[in-house]
Amino acid sequence: MWKYMNQEMCNQFLLSLHLIDGDLSDQEKIKLLYTISNTIENQYEIIKIKKNSGKLRTIYCPHPLLKSIQRKILHQILNHKSISSYAKAYHPHIGLKENALPHVHQKRILKLDIQDFFNHIQFINVYESCFSLAYFPKPIGMLLTQLCTYHDDLPQGAPTSAYISNLVMKDFDEEIGDWCSQRNISYTRYSDDMTFSGDLIPADVIRKVKQYLNPLGLKLNYQKIHVINHSQQQNVTGIVVNEKIQVPRLYRRKIRQTMHYIEAYGLQSHLEKIGYQKSPERYLNHIYGQVLYILQINAQDKEFQIYKDKLKEYENSYTFSV
C-alpha cells in the first residue's frame, strides 16, 4: 500500500512517529531529521577502549539529539518487534543466567564467536530486518535505517544497535535452533557468543553455522572456537554449568576473602591496607553488587545470603546506592 503515498503523506507518517520533542514546527522537525541523517558521520563521538586482549574496541557515542531520536526509535518501534527465544542478550528479564541454563550437565559444549559482530551488520541487513516495506514507506524506512547506522555499519554504542542485532539475527537463530533441536543439541546466542551443548560433533555444527552466517555477511572468529568436555570446567558466558549454574570458584573466593578482611580488621583498616583511594561507600557498593550477582545466578546460596545481610548492616554508617 505504501507505493500510493506521496511526499506529503510520508511526512505526516514520519511526524506520527514523534521522534523529536520540542516546540518546532512540523516542517522544522522533518527538516531536522533529514539533516541529521544526511550528516550522520558528524553525529557521533568516537571513543577507543582497550580490551583485556590489548586490542582496541571502538565505541560510537551519538550526540544528545541523535541519541534521543534513537531511543524513541527503540522504544516506539523496535521493542514491539519480537526476537528469537534463542537470543539471550539485550532483552528485559533475560540475561546470562538464561543463556547458561540450557547447557547444564551436558556431555560437550561448543562455544563459537562471530567476528566483529556489530561492524559486519550492514545497512541492508538493518533495513530488511527492521524498516523494510513490510513496515514502512521506503523513504521512511531508509531514513530510519540511516539514523541507526554509521558508515553503513551498526555502531556499537548507539541505543538501537543491540536490539537491532537481535532482529537481524532472528532468522539465523530460528534456523540454527531448529537444526539443533532435531539433533537434541541445545543452542543459545548471547550477542556474538554462540553456545551449543549435548552429544554433538563440533565439525558438523561449525559447518552448519558457517552456512547460515554466510548470507548475512558474517564470519566465525576461529581463534575463539572452544570445545569443553564434561570432565573439564564448562563455562558459559562466565557461569559454570557442569552440574548446576554457579559463579566460578575464583570469583566467589575473592569475595569470601574480602568479607573476611572487613570483618577481621574493620572496613577502614582494610581499605588502607589495599590502598583504596575512593570512598568507603563506593567500595561497599562494589562488593554488594558482586554478592547480588552471585545470588542472581543462585538465589539459594546461603553463604552469600549471609554476606548480603552483613553488608547491609553497614547501612547505619554508609549509604548504599545499589
Side-chain angles (χ1 to χ4, degrees), residues 2-25:
W2 304 124
K3 64 181 180 180
Y4 299 110
M5 294 185 69
N6 57 30
Q7 185 62 51
E8 179 59 30
M9 295 169 70
C10 283
N11 287 344
Q12 290 303 313
F13 186 96
L14 182 58
L15 289 168
S16 72
L17 300 177
H18 303 292
L19 299 181
I20 293 182
D21 296 323
D23 297 326
L24 298 175
S25 68

Side-chain angles (χ1 to χ4, degrees), residues 142-156:
M142 297 294 282
L143 171 66
L144 293 172
T145 306
Q146 186 72 7
L147 290 169
C148 295
T149 54
Y150 177 87
H151 284 174
D152 292 337
D153 298 339
L154 195 60
Q156 189 169 2

Side-chain angles (χ1 to χ4, degrees), residues 31 33 36 43 50 56 80 83 114 118 122 192 207 212 243 249 314:
K31 183 179 179 180
L33 285 169
I36 292 173
Q43 303 297 325
K50 183 175 287 188
L56 294 177
H80 297 292
I83 63 174
I114 302 173
F118 283 90
Q122 302 293 299
D192 55 353
R207 189 180 307 112
Y212 286 149
E243 303 299 334
R249 187 179 294 112
Y314 285 91

Side-chain angles (χ1 to χ4, degrees), residues 32-279:
L32 183 55
L33 285 169
Y34 278 101
T35 298
I36 292 173
S37 71
N38 290 331
T39 59
I40 203 71
E41 66 278 3
N42 300 324
Q43 303 297 325
Y44 288 87
E45 178 184 0
I46 301 175
I47 300 173
K48 303 284 187 179
I49 299 176
K50 183 175 287 188
K51 299 191 287 186
N52 292 335
S53 63
K55 296 182 179 179
L56 294 177
R57 182 191 305 277
T58 302
I59 303 296
Y60 299 88
C61 298
H63 293 168
L65 180 55
L66 176 58
K67 180 180 285 189
S68 173
I69 293 169
Q70 289 173 338
R71 283 175 174 161
K72 288 182 173 61
I73 292 173
L74 174 64
H75 297 305
Q76 296 167 195
I77 299 173
L78 298 174
N79 279 347
H80 297 292
K81 300 178 184 295
S82 64
I83 63 174
S84 170
S85 61
Y86 298 105
K88 304 300 183 181
Y90 315 131
H91 191 62
H93 313 301
I94 297 176
L96 295 173
K97 181 178 180 179
E98 289 71 26
N99 187 57
L101 277 170
H103 308 293
V104 173
H105 198 67
Q106 296 280 9
K107 179 178 180 179
R108 183 175 295 115
I109 286 179
L110 170 66
K111 297 165 69 174
L112 303 178
D113 180 86
I114 302 173
Q115 187 172 18
D116 296 329
F117 182 49
F118 283 90
N119 289 344
H120 282 106
I121 294 179
Q122 302 293 299
F123 183 100
I124 188 63
N125 303 128
V126 177
Y127 174 75
E128 291 180 347
S129 300
C130 306
F131 307 115
S132 71
L133 279 169
Y135 309 106
F136 299 99
K138 188 171 183 178
I140 305 302
M142 297 294 282
L143 171 66
L144 293 172
T145 306
Q146 186 72 7
L147 290 169
C148 295
T149 54
Y150 177 87
H151 284 174
D152 292 337
D153 298 339
L154 195 60
Q156 189 169 2
T160 44
S161 292
Y163 204 80
I164 285 175
S165 72
N166 278 336
L167 293 171
V168 169
M169 295 295 290
K170 183 177 180 179
D171 288 346
F172 168 88
D173 287 333
E174 295 299 326
E175 289 170 350
I176 200 70
D178 288 346
W179 183 87
C180 288
S181 181
Q182 294 168 16
R183 291 157 180 80
N184 200 28
I185 297 171
S186 296
Y187 162 68
T188 61
R189 181 181 58 81
Y190 194 91
S191 187
D192 55 353
D193 293 321
M194 295 175 286
T195 305
F196 304 83
S197 63
D199 189 7
L200 55 82
I201 301 173
D204 291 347
V205 177
I206 292 171
R207 189 180 307 112
K208 185 56 64 172
V209 169
K210 286 174 58 180
Q211 177 185 333
Y212 286 149
L213 283 179
N214 187 59
L216 293 170
L218 299 174
K219 297 180 180 180
L220 289 177
N221 184 342
Y222 286 93
Q223 295 180 340
K224 293 187 177 181
I225 295 177
H226 299 287
V227 179
I228 315 172
N229 295 316
H230 193 262
S231 59
Q232 305 167 282
Q233 184 183 89
Q234 294 178 319
N235 185 302
V236 176
T237 48
I239 300 174
V240 178
V241 296
N242 289 70
E243 303 299 334
K244 61 180 181 179
I245 58 171
Q246 186 64 280
V247 176
R249 187 179 294 112
L250 180 60
Y251 189 96
R252 293 160 53 82
R253 185 186 302 155
K254 287 182 177 180
I255 297 175
R256 188 180 294 119
Q257 186 179 57
T258 295
M259 292 302 298
H260 168 74
Y261 288 146
I262 291 175
E263 293 171 36
Y265 305 112
L267 177 62
Q268 200 61 46
S269 296
H270 171 61
L271 295 181
E272 291 173 2
K273 187 172 183 178
I274 65 175
Y276 190 78
Q277 300 297 317
K278 298 176 182 177
S279 69

